[in-house]
Amino acid sequence: MRNEMEKESFDLNLVSKYRSELMGIAILMVVFHHLTIRIDTGIIAKAYMFLRVTGAMGVDIFLFLSAIGLYRSYENSSGLGEFYKKRFVRIIPVYVIVCGIDYAVQYLLKADFQFGSFLYHFFLIQYWKEGLGDWYIAAIIILYVIYPAIHCIIKKYKWGGTLA
């Protein structure tokens, strides 16, 4: 009886082991969610709409898998400074290059270009004040900042802290 229970138990290490592959699937789900192809009839249209609707779950899956990586990264870091440095070195340069160029082009193409508006958007102030802009980047920065406190709660309360 016990041997059968062991076979059916959930192994969180498997999620960690296949984290990259699962993140790839989650990213594809998000991409399908954002597609705006017009398909009006048939089974292909139904399958496409199913992928679009369920694709929103890709964000949840991606955040869950990111949290596992964050936990392991924090456990393996030699201190808070190293942890923050690794996190922000991974996202800030990419954000500055990709979004900075994208926003610059968007704002420069406007007839009434205003540098202040560009900065307002680029520094995510527009998101926090008006709910417009890159919610994911704003959220991930906040989650990185508060994660050490979350980690302490998880360590202290185990599964209860994890669920909270």
Side-chain angles (χ1 to χ4, degrees):
M1 178 77 172
R2 181 177 177 169
N3 199 15
E4 286 180 36
M5 294 272 293
E6 287 176 3
K7 288 180 186 177
E8 294 178 20
S9 67
F10 178 72
D11 187 0
L12 193 57
N13 288 323
L14 287 176
V15 174
S16 188
K17 180 179 179 182
Y18 296 106
R19 188 171 152 258
S20 294
E21 292 84 352
L22 293 168
M23 283 182 136
I25 293 168
I27 289 168
L28 289 174
M29 291 174 76
V30 171
V31 168
F32 272 109
H33 177 68
H34 286 285
L35 285 178
T36 54
I37 300 170
R38 286 289 225 203
I39 304 174
D40 295 329
T41 59
I43 190 84
I44 294 173
K46 290 179 182 183
Y48 167 69
M49 284 311 297
F50 174 79
L51 290 172
R52 274 203 76 196
V53 170
T54 57
M57 291 186 298
V59 173
D60 302 328
I61 295 166
F62 196 85
L63 286 172
F64 172 75
L65 296 169
S66 295
I68 292 171
L70 212 54
Y71 179 88
R72 296 199 185 235
S73 177
Y74 192 80
E75 285 284 302
N76 295 330
S77 68
S78 62
L80 201 56
E82 179 197 349
F83 172 76
Y84 281 136
K85 181 181 177 187
K86 282 176 74 175
R87 299 281 62 79
F88 289 107
V89 164
R90 290 180 93 177
I91 62 166
I92 299 300
V94 174
Y95 175 76
V96 168
I97 292 167
V98 174
C99 292
I101 291 170
D102 179 50
Y103 298 160
V105 169
Q106 285 181 41
Y107 280 87
L108 287 171
L109 292 177
K110 289 183 178 180
D112 61 339
F113 172 74
Q114 294 177 348
F115 189 66
S117 296
F118 166 76
L119 294 177
Y120 186 68
H121 189 155
F122 181 74
F123 285 108
L124 303 170
I125 298 165
Q126 183 178 27
Y127 174 76
W128 292 110
K129 290 185 88 176
E130 302 170 29
L132 301 172
D134 297 308
W135 72 269
Y136 187 80
I137 300 297
I140 209 77
I141 289 171
I142 295 300
L143 290 170
Y144 284 168
V145 168
I146 66 171
Y147 184 75
I150 293 170
H151 190 84
C152 288
I153 292 168
I154 290 169
K155 293 298 266 186
K156 184 173 181 177
Y157 298 105
K158 305 289 181 213
W159 278 106
T162 302
L163 293 175

